[in-house]
Amino acid sequence: MGSGQTRRAALAGLGGLALGAAAPAAGWAGLGGARFLSSARLPDQSYALIGIDGEGEEAFRLALPGRGHAAAAHPSQTIAVAFARRPGDFALVLDCATGEELARLHSPEGRHFYGHGAFSADGATLYTTENAYESGEGRIGVWDAATGFRRIGETPSGGIGPHDVKLVGGGGALVIANGGIRTHPESGRAKLNIPTMRPNLAWLSTKDGAIRNIVEPPEELRLNSLRHLAVAGDLVAVGAQWQGDEASAPPLLALHRPGRELIWADARLRDWASMSGYVGSVAIDATGDEVAITSPRGGTALIFDAATGSCSCRVAAADICGVAAFERGFATTTGRGIWAGRAADGALLRAARHRIEFDNHLIAV
């Protein structure tokens, strides 16, 4: 949308809309026991969105046109939006109960998706992280789920390279991880501005599209690209990817609450070093007491006390990346097809092996 006034009108006018004209679908719990979503690569090198139950077994499988990254689950209906990996330009809206493709979203000209999105609290609106790649500015796309996911506007993300986005504040705001790294599709996944990158965490009002607050890492952590988010109440956990000398082993998890600065988590140097400078996913457990981050590059997961920010546990698992809240702890997935349910102290509760390669993220539904 061209004007701020039009954009604000689009954001403000969605509160009472329902998803399409169809009758409400059964909730996620009734869909083969599905509790998680993950994109994956299959043995024939094709791609799919996988539903996973509480035992780690496959509940359903839906084909994707290319490699996926993360998914957004509708809050009440069995509808998911599977996003292409950056710099992809597709997002598939799927009815996971019927296998029907409800819509195929394409990023507008001059934009590409970053692989993440979030529904509004009532499911009426979808928000997508996007790159306006000619200017290098981040955008949040706004889509109306009541009219076949018609795009109705966009708003600045508050920075460069918005990767992940989550709904916070009872639905009144979005929190956005602006990674700070400029890219362009013509350069593939090359990072074009490392010497000047400035990541931040931005809070955006869903009422008028205005940025309400921005916090940045301190100067010595300016090369920590803020990438992935988890939210529980007013707590936001932020996973980072270090763009400097990996040997320096900086902290890769920050905790944030409204009106405060980023608080960087505390772990032993060898624990940070085990992450190889890369957080692939982050999750907060169901109690809000524990935070987990994963590194497929390091084959490591670290678990932290959310109150103190101190590391309480380290888990080794080859190519581990997906992580989500699960019972008394976390569920994780790996690029080697392993799903595991773990207690908050890292102890293995149950596991399942699949002949697929799970992609980066495990989404709880």
Side-chain angles (χ1 to χ4, degrees):
M1 291 193 171
S3 71
Q5 182 178 4
T6 306
R7 180 180 67 245
R8 288 192 295 273
L11 286 164
L14 292 173
L17 295 177
L19 183 66
W28 287 101
L31 182 57
R35 294 182 57 184
F36 306 99
L37 301 174
S38 178
S39 296
R41 180 160 57 188
L42 308 182
D44 65 0
Q45 304 303 300
S46 64
Y47 297 94
L49 180 69
I50 308 295
I52 306 165
D53 68 16
E55 299 296 322
E57 300 300 331
E58 187 173 317
F60 64 82
R61 177 184 297 193
L62 300 173
L64 295 176
R67 182 176 176 181
H69 186 69
H74 189 277
S76 59
Q77 300 185 33
T78 55
I79 290 169
V81 183
F83 294 95
R85 180 175 185 253
R86 176 183 67 84
D89 63 358
F90 78 84
L92 221 61
V93 184
L94 299 167
D95 184 328
C96 297
T98 66
E100 179 185 3
E101 179 181 320
L102 301 178
R104 186 170 299 203
L105 312 185
H106 295 279
S107 53
E109 184 177 355
R111 309 282 187 268
H112 69 68
F113 293 126
Y114 270 107
H116 289 264
F119 276 98
S120 60
D122 62 1
T125 310
L126 176 72
Y127 302 102
T128 55
T129 53
E130 301 175 7
N131 182 16
Y133 49 79
E134 296 302 341
S135 68
E137 298 173 345
R139 293 286 187 269
I140 300 298
V142 185
W143 309 76
D144 180 1
T147 58
F149 289 83
R150 177 176 59 92
R151 187 180 180 90
I152 56 174
E154 63 179 47
T155 192
S157 73
I160 292 174
H163 191 70
D164 204 352
V165 59
K166 300 291 185 188
L167 198 68
V168 290
L174 298 172
V175 61
I176 304 159
N178 287 299
I181 299 174
R182 185 169 182 175
T183 62
H184 194 290
E186 291 181 358
S187 303
R189 293 173 61 83
K191 303 166 184 176
L192 305 177
N193 68 329
I194 297 301
T196 60
M197 64 173 281
R198 293 300 258 183
N200 71 51
L201 190 70
W203 291 69
L204 182 150
S205 169
T206 56
K207 295 181 179 179
D208 59 11
I211 299 293
R212 300 301 189 194
N213 188 34
I214 290 179
V215 291
E216 296 182 352
E219 182 63 28
E220 64 270 22
L221 293 177
R222 179 183 62 80
L223 296 181
N224 238 356
S225 178
L226 304 184
R227 308 286 279 191
H228 294 117
L229 300 168
V231 173
D234 68 347
L235 174 65
V236 179
V238 192
Q241 296 177 3
W242 180 244
Q243 306 303 310
D245 181 3
E246 189 178 303
S248 63
L252 298 172
L253 171 67
L255 303 176
H256 179 67
R257 296 182 188 274
R260 304 182 189 180
E261 296 300 312
L262 295 170
I263 302 299
W264 293 90
D266 179 44
R268 296 172 299 182
L269 184 63
R270 65 184 181 184
D271 288 332
W272 289 129
S274 73
M275 301 293 286
S276 299
Y278 186 95
V279 170
S281 295
V282 58
I284 302 174
D285 79 333
T287 68
D289 294 336
E290 308 288 341
V291 180
I293 57 175
T294 60
S295 173
R297 294 182 180 179
T300 300
L302 299 180
I303 300 176
F304 294 80
D305 183 300
T308 66
S310 60
C311 184
S312 58
C313 176
R314 176 178 164 191
V315 175
D319 206 10
I320 187 172
C321 197
V323 62
F326 173 70
E327 293 181 0
R328 296 172 286 120
F330 300 94
T332 61
T333 50
T334 78
R336 301 188 179 187
I338 303 297
W339 176 96
R342 296 184 180 275
D345 63 0
L348 185 65
L349 299 175
R350 66 196 69 158
R353 181 183 294 272
H354 302 259
R355 292 186 61 250
I356 58 178
E357 300 171 24
F358 288 114
D359 223 302
N360 292 61
H361 297 288
L362 185 65
I363 307 299
V365 297

